[in-house]
Amino acid sequence: MLKKYLPILTWLPHYTRRLFGADLLAGVIVTIMVIPQSLAYAILAGLPAVVGLYASILPLLAYTLLGTSRTLAVGPVAIIALMTGAALSGVAPPGSPAYLEAALTLSLLSGAMLTVMGILRLGFFANFLSHPVIGGFLSASGLLIAISQLSHLLGIDVTGYTALSLLTGLATHLDALHWPTLALGTGCLAFLIVMRRYGRNALTAIGMPKGLAALCARAGPVFAVIITTLLSWWLELGTRGVDVVGDVPGGLPPLTFPAIDLPLWRELLVPALLISVVGFVESISMAQMLAAKRRERISPNQELLGLGGANIAAALSAGMPVTGGLSRTVINFESGARTPMAGAFAALGIGLVTLALTPLLHHLPVATLAATIIVAVLTLVDVPLIRQTWHYSRSDFSAMALTMLLTLTEGVEAGIISGVALSIALFLYRTSRPHSALVGRIPGTEHFRSVTRHSAETLSHLALLRVDESLYFANARYLEDTVYTLVASRPELEHVVLICSAVNLIDASALESLDAINARLKDSRVTLHLAEVKGPVMDRLKKSHFLDDLSGRVFLSTYAAWSELKRREE
Amino acid sequence: MLKKYLPILTWLPHYTRRLFGADLLAGVIVTIMVIPQSLAYAILAGLPAVVGLYASILPLLAYTLLGTSRTLAVGPVAIIALMTGAALSGVAPPGSPAYLEAALTLSLLSGAMLTVMGILRLGFFANFLSHPVIGGFLSASGLLIAISQLSHLLGIDVTGYTALSLLTGLATHLDALHWPTLALGTGCLAFLIVMRRYGRNALTAIGMPKGLAALCARAGPVFAVIITTLLSWWLELGTRGVDVVGDVPGGLPPLTFPAIDLPLWRELLVPALLISVVGFVESISMAQMLAAKRRERISPNQELLGLGGANIAAALSAGMPVTGGLSRTVINFESGARTPMAGAFAALGIGLVTLALTPLLHHLPVATLAATIIVAVLTLVDVPLIRQTWHYSRSDFSAMALTMLLTLTEGVEAGIISGVALSIALFLYRTSRPHSALVGRIPGTEHFRSVTRHSAETLSHLALLRVDESLYFANARYLEDTVYTLVASRPELEHVVLICSAVNLIDASALESLDAINARLKDSRVTLHLAEVKGPVMDRLKKSHFLDDLSGRVFLSTYAAWSELKRREE
């Protein structure tokens, strides 16, 4: 029981020295690699850079205790930082103490929601974020984040959370363009792109071992941070109008607890829910992918508890909302992490950095962090997925397109809510016009197939109608129309058999419609029969009057109905 | 073409003298019978009594031109009046000119929405009001209306649109109880109940012809109005504290046009939509029931245009939102109406009354109208339906119960919106855990049935999994879990066949899951096959990469898969 809720108890007793070595190395590498992105995502959310470090300490320890994925690394991630900034900018001015306080509240709410969803085993909720919607959302968010970072790259002071407001802000303040910042930023950007694209092969070519070359290529942001910080310190760029990170308070994260402020909670409820669900979906898909690679299993509901614990830990230690991050997880995995202990080591490492090394960050230019973010998020823009979805299904594509459009123009919340609503509406619309087919007998067999797709034997006084969908309120009336049209068009008809092999449910509205069909066919002297009714559906029908009133019979198979009814009545 | 949009052109050319006679008689009877309810429902909506008459003139003529039901009678109805009052009380104080103006706006918006829905053929929207939700809504509204009329019966001045606010209002002002009003009101109520329950038999017993007896029993409200008006005039009840209708302006309805007030439109948008949909559902179910009795056909989309026209006509003639009313339609039908011309005659009749006879209404006590409403709406409370739904399905019942609870406590809009949302959520939840069954061969046949319900032949290296639901975003991951659990529990497994006979749709998310299943089974050296894929689903799959990557094959039938795969590979 305890093992179920504390997965650490399943692996810690078998912890070996070999695992320790692997995890320690991974922890050290992750510590170094995630510092730039932690700072960057805090700034993206409109928070002081150090908050990103704070959010990479206690939350990691919480996930180590509660998480089921062996290699997932939690911390601030780009999408969640964007959503955090969008949510907070609605309730407090960036930079104010109220803004910081609201970030803690958002973490706490999100953590509490994830925990409650985990306890109630509501992980399936995430399924309602369909693949096209989440894909479209990630692509649009990537673009939106990149656009939001342009201002840091250009040295223009613009904030906003829609593509339109950001771009018009940039356009109107273009005269404020700061050339040294632009030069530094684009230089960084070029360096990072080259490192990412060619770094590995180039380093291998000059004789570096493959693994180390890959690691160094990934360490592009770390080199960029070191080089530009030194440059900025040497040229005193901070005093020449280049934005730098500035004084970062040293020491471990303070213990915090968000005040209980009900009006604020109410305002942050929807954003917290969206952050929870999006963060969970991102995290779980990555965790499942990695688990599959090493034949491990993760439990979605326990993952909710793990992420919930991590966010509550963030709220208690001056952090910001966190989830499993793509790049940090990949680094962790490829650095050879074997257990969640690697996360604990990384937490210790980042703790040490926060304790002692923050003065080194003073001269780090913000433009460097912006370049880091831009290179990271552009990988989120998934053009092949958009193209595939367009080819596969226009309906799925329309949900994707709406999500992208609204995310860019109206912001992240509008985008994701509309996308989910549209995909549900489209599904309901599709099921509201159920496919049904008149079937006939394949001569000489007991098989029945659609008369429009096969040459099947039919009888003029007998209609065999196969219904290819569960019958419920949205399509009940459509079935009525189908049957009435059928009866009206075939005056010789004596029997209608509804073949229910694909009907998994008949709800109260559909029962009402079946009642109406039965009564109306009786008036027209046509007998209604059912065939191939599934066990659970039949059990349900027996609780109603329908079977007593049914003018015809319930046949076990279509063939039985055919054999019995094929002779015309006199 | 013109005939399609103006159904009057289909029946007017064949109009005969015999039809004229029948329609004229029905029109006269309807004129007399609907006057009390027209006045009553206007007061229920918080409007002057005469608005109810206005709304029974031009709208009837519009429906005569546009409607497809031969016998439906439109006008103010109880539910719509209640919803109108609830909507208007949110935007203006009752009795103010702004309130009247808002009523016209609401009619116009509702008429425009119905017309647009008719043109776009969106009648299926109404299907989302499931039977339990509409049933629960009508029952709760009936109760709510009856409670709202208690204040008129007790002579206490209380308004409100939730059961709680009304009852607490009554309780706190109980000292203001006006005994003469109470005596008059309960007297009326007793008279109406007795007439409704025993009138017909009693009158037949004393020798009246059956038809006339039924008509007289239905005319209870008319007698009550005449008797209490005379009593009120004779005893000068109006000057003794009994509320009377008071001065009703004579003359035909004035031509009106609601001002274009965008903020008001925005506020009334949701109420107008709900009024349109609820009115349409009520009206169409009645029209279909009556059409079936006389073997006539009605067209749902043209009915939307008919009701849309009627509401626009109401907006142009100082009226209020209207729809097909139960009691006035039944009176029309039973009085022998044959064509919509009966409605035109009733419109003329009510026009004459409005022109000349309104002074007679001065002394009519409001308590009489309240008693009329109470007796009419209590028939909406459908206890057998509630009981049936409880027995048939707890899930349907929960949607019904929520609708009833919220209609009573939070008001009509909250009730209906929550009911619809819950029924959609429950449906999605059900389809998100699709039923699937491992099937085996019924020995000696080509039939395959669930191994848990039948004794069927199975093979340890071959799993035949029948999926009983369309595969879409909400259940895609559930299918993955099902397959992985299956594979994990049967180490000897070599082939998994997904039988897709009940799969009508595979959306982009489900395709992604099938891809993942295929890849993961390949890693575990298990081959994935499909069987019985429907034509349209197969066409769709051919547009993706899935079939190229599939490790196994697509079989036409389960038997073909069985025959091919039954021998274990070496």
Side-chain angles (χ1 to χ4, degrees):
Chain A
M1 176 65 186
L2 203 58
K3 268 191 188 174
K4 198 182 143 203
Y5 286 110
L6 282 177
I8 191 175
L9 298 179
T10 59
W11 56 264
L12 199 60
H14 312 290
Y15 204 64
T16 62
R17 202 160 155 176
R18 212 175 121 254
L19 290 175
F20 174 83
D23 286 343
L24 185 63
L25 178 66
V28 171
I29 295 173
V30 168
T31 299
I32 299 168
M33 305 284 261
V34 304
I35 287 175
Q37 54 167 278
S38 299
L39 301 169
Y41 295 149
I43 291 176
L44 171 58
L47 292 161
V50 72
V51 170
L53 294 179
Y54 291 165
S56 307
I57 304 173
L58 226 51
L60 271 69
L61 294 176
Y63 186 82
T64 303
L65 291 174
L66 295 165
T68 56
S69 167
R70 294 291 170 99
T71 43
L72 191 76
V74 300
V77 308
I79 299 283
I80 299 300
L82 174 75
M83 295 177 79
T84 300
L88 299 184
S89 67
V91 300
S96 67
Y99 194 89
L100 265 169
E101 178 74 25
L104 299 180
T105 305
L106 195 60
S107 306
L108 185 69
L109 285 179
S110 168
M113 283 176 185
L114 287 163
T115 305
V116 169
M117 284 166 76
I119 291 170
L120 299 180
R121 315 185 69 72
L122 295 180
F124 72 89
F125 250 131
N127 298 345
F128 287 98
L129 278 184
S130 71
H131 204 258
V133 168
I134 195 82
F137 178 70
L138 291 180
S139 288
S141 298
L143 216 56
L144 185 57
I145 295 172
I147 293 171
S148 78
Q149 295 307 303
L150 283 180
S151 63
H152 295 305
L153 224 55
L154 301 172
I156 301 173
D157 196 19
V158 167
T159 55
Y161 289 94
T162 68
L164 203 69
S165 68
L166 286 163
L167 289 176
T168 52
L170 286 178
T172 50
H173 295 91
L174 211 55
D175 51 320
L177 181 82
H178 191 249
W179 288 104
T181 305
L182 179 62
L184 185 82
T186 47
C188 257
L189 201 59
F191 170 73
L192 290 172
I193 291 173
V194 168
M195 277 298 271
R196 179 178 276 263
R197 189 157 296 175
Y198 309 107
R200 187 172 161 178
N201 291 343
L203 292 171
T204 324
I206 60 169
M208 200 182 269
K210 259 194 178 165
L212 189 62
L215 194 63
C216 283
R218 279 198 185 281
V222 178
F223 296 129
V225 163
I226 294 172
I227 296 165
T228 56
T229 304
L230 288 174
L231 204 69
S232 157
W233 167 72
W234 182 45
L235 300 175
E236 291 184 347
L237 292 181
T239 61
R240 299 183 187 209
V242 173
D243 261 354
V244 295
V245 167
D247 283 332
V248 177
L252 287 176
L255 274 186
T256 49
F257 194 82
I260 293 171
D261 175 355
L262 286 182
L264 179 65
W265 286 26
R266 200 167 304 133
E267 272 192 273
L268 292 178
L269 218 55
V270 172
L273 183 65
L274 293 179
I275 286 175
S276 304
V277 175
V278 170
F280 175 61
V281 169
E282 244 205 291
S283 183
I284 194 90
S285 15
M286 207 156 39
Q288 278 175 331
M289 189 187 71
L290 296 180
K293 281 198 184 172
R294 289 204 187 147
R295 309 251 155 177
E296 294 159 354
R297 264 190 87 79
I298 57 152
S299 144
N301 285 312
Q302 181 62 32
E303 277 302 286
L304 283 167
L305 295 179
L307 294 177
N311 276 293
I312 292 173
L316 299 179
S317 59
M320 60 186 278
V322 295
T323 192
L326 175 64
S327 58
R328 58 178 76 213
T329 300
V330 170
I331 293 168
N332 195 37
F333 187 84
E334 294 191 347
S335 310
R338 307 295 306 176
T339 77
M341 193 55 92
F345 292 139
L348 284 180
I350 297 167
L352 286 175
V353 170
T354 316
L355 200 58
L357 305 181
T358 51
L360 298 182
L361 298 172
H362 181 99
H363 292 285
L364 169 57
V366 173
T368 306
L369 295 178
T372 309
I373 295 181
I374 290 177
V375 173
V377 295
L378 283 181
T379 60
L380 291 174
V381 182
D382 193 345
V383 179
L385 177 70
I386 299 172
R387 202 182 303 122
Q388 269 168 39
T389 309
W390 164 261
H391 284 300
Y392 185 68
S393 153
R394 292 300 186 278
S395 153
D396 278 314
F397 179 78
S398 66
M400 178 183 248
L402 182 77
T403 309
M404 295 203 306
L405 182 73
L406 290 186
T407 301
L408 286 173
T409 57
E410 300 287 319
V412 283
E413 287 178 25
I416 207 152
I417 290 176
S418 321
V420 170
L422 182 63
S423 37
I424 291 177
L426 286 171
F427 173 71
L428 290 175
Y429 179 74
R430 268 184 296 212
T431 60
S432 76
R433 325 193 132 224
H435 189 255
S436 61
L438 280 172
V439 300
R441 186 187 180 201
I442 303 293
T445 71
E446 297 186 9
H447 292 292
F448 292 80
R449 290 283 183 277
S450 161
V451 293
T452 54
R453 287 196 174 238
H454 300 80
S455 62
E457 193 182 340
T458 57
L459 295 171
S460 69
H461 73 290
L462 171 64
L464 300 168
L465 186 70
R466 195 188 64 211
V467 183
D468 288 348
E469 197 86 51
S470 284
L471 296 175
Y472 76 113
F473 57 89
N475 62 25
R477 212 179 276 280
Y478 194 76
L479 176 72
E480 284 189 57
D481 289 346
T482 307
V483 174
Y484 297 156
T485 310
L486 175 70
V487 172
S489 67
R490 286 174 54 177
E492 289 186 48
L493 211 56
E494 286 172 13
H495 302 283
V496 171
V497 182
L498 292 182
I499 304 170
C500 300
S501 49
V503 174
N504 304 301
L505 168 81
I506 294 180
D507 81 352
S509 306
L511 181 68
E512 194 67 27
S513 285
L514 285 179
D515 258 332
I517 291 172
N518 182 44
R520 215 153 132 183
L521 292 196
K522 211 188 269 176
D523 285 350
S524 321
R525 290 153 149 250
V526 176
T527 317
L528 178 71
H529 308 268
L530 301 182
E532 303 194 25
V533 181
K534 296 192 173 170
V537 175
M538 196 65 189
D539 295 346
R540 179 63 60 85
L541 285 180
K542 282 181 184 153
K543 290 185 192 166
S544 76
H545 293 285
F546 177 69
L547 294 176
D548 306 331
D549 300 339
L550 183 64
S551 57
R553 293 170 44 190
V554 179
F555 294 99
L556 279 180
S557 72
T558 309
Y559 184 69
W562 170 274
S563 312
E564 186 72 24
L565 303 173
K566 69 183 168 192
R567 227 175 324 148
R568 176 184 284 279
E569 275 160 41
E570 302 314 319
Chain B
M1 178 66 187
L2 203 60
K3 268 191 186 175
K4 197 180 147 205
Y5 287 110
L6 282 177
I8 191 175
L9 297 179
T10 59
W11 55 265
L12 199 60
H14 312 291
Y15 205 63
T16 62
R17 201 162 154 175
R18 214 175 120 254
L19 291 175
F20 175 83
D23 286 344
L24 186 63
L25 179 66
V28 171
I29 295 172
V30 168
T31 299
I32 300 168
M33 305 285 260
V34 304
I35 287 175
Q37 52 167 279
S38 299
L39 301 168
Y41 295 149
I43 291 176
L44 170 59
L47 292 160
V50 72
V51 170
L53 294 179
Y54 292 165
S56 308
I57 304 175
L58 226 50
L60 273 68
L61 293 176
Y63 185 82
T64 303
L65 291 176
L66 295 166
T68 56
S69 168
R70 294 292 171 98
T71 43
L72 191 76
V74 301
V77 308
I79 299 283
I80 299 301
L82 174 74
M83 295 177 79
T84 300
L88 299 184
S89 67
V91 298
S96 66
Y99 194 89
L100 265 168
E101 178 75 24
L104 298 181
T105 305
L106 194 60
S107 307
L108 185 68
L109 285 179
S110 166
M113 283 176 185
L114 287 163
T115 304
V116 169
M117 284 166 76
I119 291 170
L120 299 181
R121 313 185 70 73
L122 296 179
F124 72 90
F125 249 132
N127 297 345
F128 288 99
L129 278 184
S130 72
H131 206 257
V133 168
I134 195 83
F137 178 68
L138 292 180
S139 288
S141 299
L143 217 58
L144 184 57
I145 295 172
I147 292 171
S148 78
Q149 296 307 302
L150 283 181
S151 64
H152 295 306
L153 224 55
L154 300 172
I156 300 173
D157 195 20
V158 167
T159 55
Y161 289 94
T162 69
L164 203 70
S165 68
L166 286 162
L167 289 175
T168 53
L170 287 177
T172 50
H173 295 91
L174 211 56
D175 51 321
L177 183 82
H178 191 248
W179 288 103
T181 303
L182 180 62
L184 185 83
T186 46
C188 257
L189 200 59
F191 170 73
L192 289 172
I193 291 171
V194 169
M195 276 298 271
R196 180 177 274 261
R197 188 157 296 174
Y198 308 107
R200 187 172 160 177
N201 290 344
L203 291 171
T204 324
I206 60 169
M208 200 181 269
K210 260 190 176 166
L212 190 62
L215 194 64
C216 284
R218 281 198 184 280
V222 178
F223 295 130
V225 163
I226 294 172
I227 296 165
T228 56
T229 305
L230 288 173
L231 203 70
S232 157
W233 168 70
W234 183 44
L235 299 175
E236 291 182 350
L237 292 180
T239 61
R240 298 180 188 212
V242 173
D243 262 354
V244 294
V245 168
D247 283 332
V248 176
L252 287 176
L255 276 186
T256 50
F257 195 84
I260 293 172
D261 174 356
L262 287 181
L264 179 65
W265 286 27
R266 202 168 301 134
E267 271 192 273
L268 292 178
L269 217 56
V270 173
L273 183 66
L274 293 179
I275 286 175
S276 303
V277 175
V278 170
F280 174 62
V281 170
E282 245 205 290
S283 183
I284 195 91
S285 18
M286 207 158 38
Q288 278 176 330
M289 191 187 71
L290 295 179
K293 281 199 184 173
R294 289 205 185 146
R295 309 250 155 175
E296 294 159 355
R297 265 190 87 81
I298 57 152
S299 144
N301 285 312
Q302 180 63 31
E303 278 301 286
L304 282 166
L305 295 179
L307 294 176
N311 276 294
I312 292 172
L316 299 179
S317 59
M320 58 187 279
V322 295
T323 192
L326 175 65
S327 58
R328 58 177 77 211
T329 299
V330 170
I331 292 168
N332 196 37
F333 187 83
E334 295 192 345
S335 309
R338 308 294 306 176
T339 77
M341 194 55 93
F345 292 140
L348 284 181
I350 298 167
L352 286 176
V353 169
T354 316
L355 200 59
L357 305 179
T358 52
L360 298 181
L361 298 172
H362 181 99
H363 293 284
L364 169 57
V366 173
T368 305
L369 295 177
T372 309
I373 295 180
I374 291 177
V375 173
V377 295
L378 283 181
T379 59
L380 292 174
V381 182
D382 193 344
V383 180
L385 177 69
I386 299 171
R387 202 182 302 122
Q388 271 168 38
T389 309
W390 165 259
H391 284 299
Y392 183 68
S393 153
R394 292 298 185 278
S395 153
D396 279 315
F397 178 78
S398 66
M400 178 184 248
L402 182 76
T403 309
M404 294 203 303
L405 183 73
L406 289 186
T407 302
L408 286 173
T409 58
E410 299 287 321
V412 282
E413 286 178 25
I416 207 151
I417 290 175
S418 322
V420 170
L422 182 62
S423 34
I424 290 176
L426 286 171
F427 172 71
L428 291 175
Y429 179 74
R430 268 184 296 210
T431 59
S432 76
R433 323 192 134 226
H435 189 256
S436 61
L438 280 171
V439 300
R441 185 186 180 202
I442 304 293
T445 72
E446 298 185 6
H447 292 290
F448 292 80
R449 290 283 184 276
S450 162
V451 295
T452 54
R453 288 195 173 239
H454 300 81
S455 63
E457 194 182 341
T458 57
L459 297 170
S460 69
H461 73 290
L462 172 64
L464 301 167
L465 185 71
R466 194 188 65 213
V467 183
D468 288 348
E469 197 86 51
S470 283
L471 296 176
Y472 76 113
F473 58 88
N475 62 24
R477 215 179 273 280
Y478 194 78
L479 176 71
E480 285 189 57
D481 289 346
T482 308
V483 174
Y484 299 156
T485 311
L486 174 70
V487 173
S489 67
R490 287 175 54 178
E492 289 186 47
L493 211 55
E494 287 172 11
H495 300 283
V496 171
V497 181
L498 292 182
I499 304 170
C500 301
S501 50
V503 175
N504 304 302
L505 168 81
I506 295 180
D507 80 352
S509 307
L511 181 69
E512 193 68 28
S513 285
L514 285 179
D515 257 333
I517 291 173
N518 181 45
R520 214 152 135 185
L521 292 197
K522 210 187 271 178
D523 285 350
S524 320
R525 291 155 149 249
V526 175
T527 317
L528 177 71
H529 308 268
L530 302 183
E532 303 194 25
V533 181
K534 295 192 174 172
V537 175
M538 197 66 191
D539 294 346
R540 180 63 60 86
L541 283 181
K542 282 181 184 153
K543 290 186 193 166
S544 75
H545 292 286
F546 177 71
L547 294 176
D548 306 331
D549 301 338
L550 183 65
S551 58
R553 292 172 43 192
V554 180
F555 294 99
L556 279 180
S557 72
T558 310
Y559 183 71
W562 170 275
S563 313
E564 186 72 26
L565 305 172
K566 69 182 168 191
R567 225 173 328 147
R568 175 185 285 278
E569 276 161 39
E570 304 313 317

